[in-house]
Amino acid sequence: MSDTDGKKTLGLRGSARSGQVKQSFSHGRTKNVVVETKRKRVVVPKPGAPSKSGGASSGGDPSKRPAGLSEAELERRKKALAAAKARESEEAEKRAADERAREEERNRRRAEVEAKEREEREREERAQAKADEDKRRLEAEAAEKAAAAEAAAKAKAGPAPVEEKRGPAGGGSPNKPSSPPKRPERERDDRNRNNRGRGDDGGRRSGKLTLNQALTGGDGRHRSVAAMKRKQERMRQKAMGGAENREKVVRDVQVPESIVVSELANRMAERVADVVKALMNNGMMLTQNQSIDADTAELIVEEFGHRVQRVSDADVEDVIDTVEDADDDLIARPPVITVMGHVDHGKTSVLDAIRNAKVVSGEAGGITQHIGAYQVDQGGDLLTFLDTPGHAAFTSMRARGAQVTDIVVLVVAADDAVMPQTIEAINHAKAAEVPMIVAINKIDLPAAQPDKVRTDLLQHEVMVEKMSGEVQDVEVSAIKGTGLNELLEAIALQAEILELKANPNRAASGAVIEAQLDVGRGPVATVLVQNGTLKQGDIFVVGEQWGKVRALVNDKGDRVKEAGPSVPVEVLGLNGTPEAGDVLNVVDTEAQAREIAEYRQDAAKDKRAAAGAATTLEQLMANAKADETVAELPILVKADVQGSAEAIVQAMEKIGNDEVRVRVLHSGVGAITESDIGLAEASRAPVFGFNVRANAPARNSANQKGVEIRYYSVIYDLVDDVKAAASGLLSAEVRENFIGYAQIKEVFRVTKVGNVAGCLVTEGVARRSAGVRLLRDNVVIHEGTLKTLKRFKDEVPEVQSGQECGMAFENYDDIRQGDVIEIFEREEVERTLA
């Protein structure tokens, strides 16, 4: 078999010439190998291509081009090679530039370090030179003092004897007093130089570990680097003539209500061990990680000789600007007018007539249930109006409106005169010490009696001008617009008398008139700016909440960039819903606002806990006993705005008596949520929504758990329903109606029945179903029910007056002749809360 059997030769078809080569191996083995000889491929140039003599073509020399490459491929390879070379050159230039930059940076840093070292050396040389100069001066002064003392001693002892001449070693003239010898100093300097050569530097380097000490296992206790630095500092100060013992630094140490021992030591710059030792000396075994109160810390600080500065957690509110404004910075501001009065006396209608708006139609039940804030342009002068509710439940709203106002307009209906909420509004205005203007409304009605209104106001110490008083009164009609101009003139006159001014160029502060949780905008607060200018982007704290002004919306619904004094705006950007009546203050940073808000939250939490906690066991037992006798109606309240929720809670607290009361488990602002339903189910309480609705998950959860949800838009409807529900918890009143009397004429003994009384009904009627009492000498000796009532031998339901009958008592036989039987019926009467 041949080596080539079944094998094909490799190579290009038709272009190779085959042959065989015989290979010899060891042990006589041979092998035939097929060898191919390939011919070079000759590329014929295309017709029309430039000749070789015509210059270098784009394809290059065909004889030097690799075989099998087309002109396009060769061109691409050339371009790739050129691009690679360009990239390499760019990278090389970039590396060189980076290297130059690094070298320049190193040189700059090296120059800075050398400059610092040079400055340090120069400083040390100047200090050393000054020390040497001071030392020489001191030595010269000491030498002069010694020479003066020696001369004085010689002058006192007489002329000195003439010394014999000495050699050059003696020095000095025989007729001249010799100078102080300087040889000991020179010897001391030589000794110091010799010692420096031997490494003896006065223990200056004794703290460093040498190789010999490490190998021999010498003493491992060495001075620290800080101790060596302190020693060098003392030696330097001593060489410069400074005092070696420094005076103790007295520091002002801030002591909060509680402080850790280690922190107190840091503030005093004292060692912790010394502070712990001082505490132990005062009988307090404490460690550095334990806390001490302010009194103990003050004792320790005074013991160490420092000054104490007592601080408290409330100091975080000191960042709020309370600087009094200078008179030059104050400019005129619009007056704030609050419209107050009884419900349905036309407060909002008067304001609508002034504003040419229609707000009453938008209020449920025709009554105002929120504080509305508006601005009116009156002849170029702005007036800010606050419209308060007149219902009895909105007492806090009226009080809040009186506190932030400049002028109170008291609206009294001419046909209704002074009513309870009118009196309450008068009291609020007097408490706030603000001037009052009386607007007698509804004078267009036939039953109007303006003079009766003025007379009734006298009973409450309100004397109008027509009654020779100082309070302005104006007769108006909101429906026909009568007297509105006179009312505005009276307001302008009163504002001119007050001379209202404010500083707009300071950090803003204001009062929250109303707050609500809007679904799309989040927590929204209606703020009346009182001082400064509130701008978009300001960081503020309001009550227990804080935020950053994201947007400002005026009373017309337009967005504004800023709001000055006496301007009501809606503020967006709070982290939570504040309480109505809270004060808004602008601060510098978010950290300050967050810190103040957290402090106020903790303080409010502690206050609530202290108010609801019983301190003694007796108080706990008394509260438990009181809760046993009082029936509670738990409810949950959700409202659209904070003021309405507050008014509802206050109205609920007034419902009840000694037997029943209403307990508000939770009140909030916003839609009814699933968590509210869960709380209501656990407490078996209904949920009341005021101008809000439950979302879809809450409705589904309420249907599954059987929780009742009630919706209201008028507050007195809600109050009436809760009052009716609470009345159902009252136990029914039992009344006794006496229906008759019977006198026992004879007592009979009947077998299996007992004693039976033969009676004569003397008054009324005797019924078997009624209750009876047995009277003996007008004293009740038994009360119970009848076992039998017979007339002759028949059982009858009742016996009329003047007839005889037989009666037997249930489980009672002690009856005698002459006793009187009192017959009565019990009637249960349902009670209601007043």
Side-chain angles (χ1 to χ4, degrees), residues 616-632:
T616 62
L617 182 61
E618 289 78 7
Q619 290 177 347
L620 285 171
M621 295 176 64
N623 292 343
K625 190 175 295 183
D627 291 339
E628 288 179 359
T629 59
V630 178
E632 283 189 346

Side-chain angles (χ1 to χ4, degrees), residues 333 336 338 340 371 386 388 395-408 425 428-434 511-513 528 530 580-583:
R333 66 172 176 85
V336 179
T338 299
M340 304 175 74
I371 287 186
L386 300 181
T388 62
T395 302
S396 58
M397 285 195 185
R398 284 191 294 279
R400 190 157 57 244
Q403 290 170 0
V404 299
T405 190
D406 301 316
I407 302 170
V408 168
H428 287 319
K430 289 181 178 180
E433 297 181 354
V434 293
V512 177
I513 302 298
L528 177 65
Q530 295 173 310
D582 288 341
V583 178

Side-chain angles (χ1 to χ4, degrees), residues 60 70 243 266 326 440 637 670 714 750:
S70 63
N266 290 336
I440 304 175
V637 177
V714 180
V750 179

